Amino acid sequence: MNNISQNLEPLKDKLRNHSLYNNIKDVEDLKIFSSAHVYAVWDFMSLLKFLQINLTSVSVPWFPNKNTATSKLINEIVAGEETDEDQDGVPASHFELYIDSIEEFGLNTSKIIKNINSLNNLETIENDIDELNLKNYVKDFLKFTFSVIKRGKVHEVASVFTFGREDLIPDMFIPLIEGINAENNDLNKLIYYFKRHIEVDGDMHGPMSMEMLSYLCNNDPIKIADSSSVSEEALLARISLWDGIENEIKQRKNNYEKV
C-alpha cells in the first residue's frame, strides 16, 4: 500500500497544486464548483455501499462473513459517512450535509436531486448519465466511478475509495471559503462540511480504508497491480473534473468582462 501511495504522489501533487483553488474568488465561482463537485460527493456513497454489500453479511438468513476484520472496518466507515451529525447534532449523511451547506449560500439543488434520483438502475446507469443535462466533464467522472463498480472487483472499488478520494483536498478549500465567508456570505455550513471531512475521513477513515485494502489485496501481485492502475485512473478522473470546473469558472469571468 505504501508503494502504491508513493507511486501516486505525482498525481496527488497535481491535485494539491491545481490552479482551480486560485480561481475560486466569490460565491458565484463557488456555485459553479459545488454544482459539479456535489456529484463526486454523491457517487462516493455508491462506492461505499458497494463495499458494505460485498464485505458484510446483508442477507437473510444471516451467516458470518468470511473476513470479520474487513466487515468491521467498512461498517465503521459507513456509520461515519451515512449517519454523521450536522452542526446541531442532527443525524445526516455527508451528502446531506453537503446539500444543506450549498443551499445555505443560495444554490438551487432541485436539479441536482432530480438528476440523482433518475440514476436508479445500475445496469443502464452509463446511458442514463449521458441523458442528463450536465457538463461532459461531470458525466465522465460519474461514468468512471460506476464503470469500476459494475466490473465488480471489490479490491478495485476499495482502491478507488481509498486512493481516488484525496483526503488532502479539503485542506485546500478551507482558506478560500473562509476568505469568501469573511465578506458576509453564508458559508458556515460549507466550512463545517470540509472541516468535518478532514476530521473524519483524514484522521479515521483514511487509515481504516488503507487497512481494508491491504486485507483485500493480501499481497497478491495481480490485485496490487490492479489497485495501482485503477487508483491512477481515479486520480486522473479527479484532475479532469477539476480542469472542467476551472474552465467553466474562467469562461464565466470572460463573459462577465465582455459585458
Side-chain angles (χ1 to χ4, degrees):
M1 296 304 101
N2 288 334
N3 287 340
I4 293 173
S5 184
Q6 289 173 7
N7 291 338
L8 294 172
E9 274 303 310
L11 292 177
K12 290 181 180 179
D13 279 340
K14 283 188 176 182
L15 282 167
R16 293 186 190 107
N17 300 305
H18 201 288
S19 52
L20 167 66
Y21 312 122
N22 295 325
N23 279 286
I24 301 176
K25 301 293 187 182
D26 54 34
V27 171
E28 293 307 311
D29 296 337
L30 204 55
K31 286 180 179 179
I32 292 173
F33 168 78
S34 298
S35 294
H37 180 240
V38 66
Y39 292 96
V41 176
W42 173 73
D43 75 352
F44 171 85
M45 300 301 293
S46 292
L47 293 167
L48 177 69
K49 298 309 286 186
F50 174 92
L51 291 171
Q52 185 185 32
I53 290 167
N54 284 274
L55 296 177
T56 65
S57 297
V58 293
S59 60
V60 178
W62 176 89
F63 296 98
N65 190 269
K66 293 179 181 179
N67 191 327
T68 306
T70 55
S71 296
K72 175 179 172 59
L73 289 166
I74 195 61
N75 275 333
E76 290 188 9
I77 295 173
V78 168
E81 296 287 349
E82 197 172 36
T83 55
D84 202 0
E85 293 182 350
D86 66 12
Q87 291 164 292
D88 300 317
V90 177
S93 68
H94 282 188
F95 173 72
E96 290 167 311
L97 288 177
Y98 195 78
I99 287 290
D100 193 35
S101 71
I102 62 181
E103 288 178 341
E104 182 183 40
F105 61 82
L107 184 58
N108 187 338
T109 60
S110 58
K111 175 188 169 183
I112 295 167
I113 300 300
K114 181 179 179 181
N115 282 341
I116 287 171
N117 287 341
S118 72
L119 300 176
N120 57 13
N121 187 337
L122 187 59
E123 295 306 311
T124 63
I125 196 161
E126 286 93 346
N127 290 333
D128 295 340
I129 290 169
D130 277 329
E131 295 299 316
L132 297 178
N133 183 20
L134 286 174
K135 300 292 184 179
N136 285 334
Y137 64 84
V138 179
K139 291 181 181 180
D140 289 342
F141 186 86
L142 286 171
K143 285 192 287 186
F144 167 75
T145 298
F146 286 102
S147 71
V148 177
I149 290 173
K150 285 183 71 174
R151 282 204 299 268
K153 295 183 178 180
V154 180
H155 65 284
E156 286 192 349
V157 175
S159 300
V160 173
F161 183 87
T162 301
F163 291 115
R165 303 305 171 121
E166 177 55 63
D167 290 327
L168 294 176
I169 287 173
D171 264 328
M172 310 296 141
F173 287 108
I174 287 177
L176 68 88
I177 294 171
E178 287 180 335
I180 298 172
N181 194 49
E183 301 176 3
N184 298 317
N185 296 295
D186 295 322
L187 303 179
N188 291 324
K189 289 183 178 180
L190 189 61
I191 293 170
Y192 173 82
Y193 167 83
F194 278 115
K195 286 185 174 179
R196 187 64 178 156
H197 189 77
I198 292 170
E199 178 185 355
V200 174
D201 293 358
D203 296 344
M204 292 179 283
H205 293 175
M208 290 167 69
S209 62
M210 190 77 76
E211 184 180 355
M212 175 183 65
L213 181 58
S214 182
Y215 274 119
L216 292 172
C217 287
N218 195 29
N219 291 319
D220 183 326
I222 295 176
K223 289 183 177 180
I224 291 171
D226 288 345
S227 176
S228 180
S229 177
V230 78
S231 297
E232 182 176 336
E233 289 180 66
L235 290 176
L236 288 170
R238 178 59 68 105
I239 291 170
S240 293
L241 180 68
W242 264 208
D243 290 344
I245 295 171
E246 181 182 29
N247 289 336
E248 194 170 347
I249 289 173
K250 287 180 176 179
Q251 185 62 47
R252 180 189 77 86
K253 291 178 178 178
N254 288 338
N255 291 341
Y256 180 79
E257 289 173 359
K258 289 177 182 177
V259 173

